[in-house]
Amino acid sequence: MAAPINCILVDDEPVALDIMESHLSKIEDINILARCNNATEAFNVISKENIHLIFLDINMPGISGISFARSINKDLQIIFTTAYREYAVDSFDLHAADYLLKPISFERLLDAINNYRKNHSEKEITKIAEREAEFIFVKIDRQMVKIDFEELLYIESYADYLKIHLLTDTKITRETITVIEEKLPSSKFLRTHRSFIVSIPKIESYTNEQVVIRQKSIPISRSFKEQVLEKLAEYH
């Protein structure tokens, strides 16, 4: 049996709430914890309940659905339910689980739920893998050497080798930066430049152009800037 999904419905139209509730009642393991008429009511619910998924209208009085989505915990997944096509780009920027146009059919809603389940499962698997990984082995001088993530400050790429800067020393390997990047958990390490990967917990300060680790200024290149700043913004 699939894990239960605790959800809330947020819409200022009672008829729209009735339709969504009717559709969702036919889907196994969906728990509707609340029906909210506006964003303020929804804020109150998510502060008290363990919510997984929010079905959210966009055009509401007071706080719009888009503004509401920007203000809540990013771990809360959102499926927008709206009569307006023009907000689809905003929903993409907010990493919404789906974007449903009214009138919403049961089949389309079921497809959105199934996609949510699939993506949620994949994210949980990734989180578990990253949580369990605390080190990697890297080939150095014909032997595989253990590199503990807690010791790793940053990695610097040169023409045909890498410098792995640790708390106490520096290791040199012939691996490419792309290969080693794939071995590192994205929750702990960040590519800032074609020649640099940094340990997020070791960053002491940063600007739009650089991060600083142990007084070493490491550049943020134009091609990586957007993803770097977006990732670091998660820790504000």
Side-chain angles (χ1 to χ4, degrees):
M1 180 181 293
I5 300 174
N6 294 334
C7 66
I8 61 172
L9 315 181
V10 188
D11 202 309
D12 63 321
E13 299 177 4
V15 173
L17 290 172
D18 290 341
I19 291 171
M20 287 298 296
E21 187 170 16
S22 175
H23 284 341
L24 290 169
S25 68
K26 301 171 186 175
I27 302 176
E28 186 179 8
D29 297 325
I30 291 288
N31 295 330
I32 301 175
L33 298 188
R35 290 170 45 134
C36 303
N37 296 311
N38 53 60
T40 301
E41 291 181 14
F43 275 123
N44 291 333
V45 174
I46 65 177
S47 67
K48 300 173 184 176
E49 303 286 352
N50 180 27
I51 305 298
H52 303 130
L53 183 61
I54 302 173
F55 293 91
L56 181 62
D57 187 25
I58 291 178
N59 190 20
M60 296 185 295
I63 303 172
S64 72
I66 295 295
S67 296
F68 172 77
R70 287 186 175 132
S71 66
I72 62 176
N73 189 320
K74 293 183 179 180
D75 288 335
L76 287 172
Q77 289 290 290
I78 292 172
I79 293 179
F80 284 107
T81 58
T82 179
Y84 301 91
R85 295 179 180 274
E86 58 264 33
Y87 298 103
V89 173
D90 295 283
S91 74
F92 178 79
D93 291 340
L94 289 164
H95 306 290
D98 214 323
Y99 190 87
L100 306 182
L101 285 171
K102 298 176 180 177
I104 300 167
S105 69
F106 174 75
E107 290 74 19
R108 180 67 183 89
L109 178 61
L110 182 60
D111 183 55
I113 293 290
N114 288 336
N115 285 336
Y116 163 80
R117 286 195 187 280
K118 179 176 180 292
N119 293 333
H120 182 71
S121 296
E122 290 174 351
K123 287 179 181 177
E124 286 302 311
I125 291 170
T126 300
K127 285 181 180 179
I128 292 170
E130 291 181 348
R131 187 165 59 245
E132 291 177 348
E134 299 296 338
F135 59 88
I136 57 173
F137 283 97
V138 176
K139 189 173 184 180
I140 298 172
D141 294 333
R142 298 184 181 180
Q143 60 181 330
M144 301 305 292
V145 176
K146 183 179 180 181
I147 304 294
D148 287 310
F149 294 156
E150 290 299 316
E151 296 288 312
L152 209 168
L153 298 172
Y154 62 95
I155 297 171
E156 190 173 3
S157 174
Y158 288 85
D160 56 354
Y161 64 93
L162 299 177
K163 280 188 175 181
I164 302 175
H165 298 271
L166 306 173
L167 289 171
T168 55
D169 66 345
T170 299
K171 306 289 187 183
I172 296 177
T173 178
R174 291 287 180 179
E175 287 208 69
T176 68
I177 196 166
T178 301
V179 168
I180 203 165
E181 181 184 16
E182 292 175 354
K183 298 178 181 179
L184 298 171
S186 60
S187 61
K188 296 181 179 179
F189 296 94
L190 184 61
R191 184 89 172 262
T192 65
H193 186 279
R194 63 184 180 86
S195 300
F196 288 94
I197 296 172
V198 301
S199 168
I200 297 172
K202 300 300 190 298
I203 295 175
E204 296 164 358
S205 64
Y206 74 93
T207 67
N208 289 354
E209 288 75 37
Q210 65 181 18
V211 301
V212 176
I213 296 178
R214 290 207 164 187
Q215 300 183 328
K216 166 72 174 179
S217 296
I218 299 167
I220 300 174
S221 68
R222 184 177 301 174
S223 57
F224 287 93
K225 179 177 291 187
E226 182 177 353
Q227 67 189 56
V228 169
L229 297 181
E230 181 178 333
K231 182 67 175 180
L232 294 179
E234 295 177 7
Y235 299 90
H236 289 185

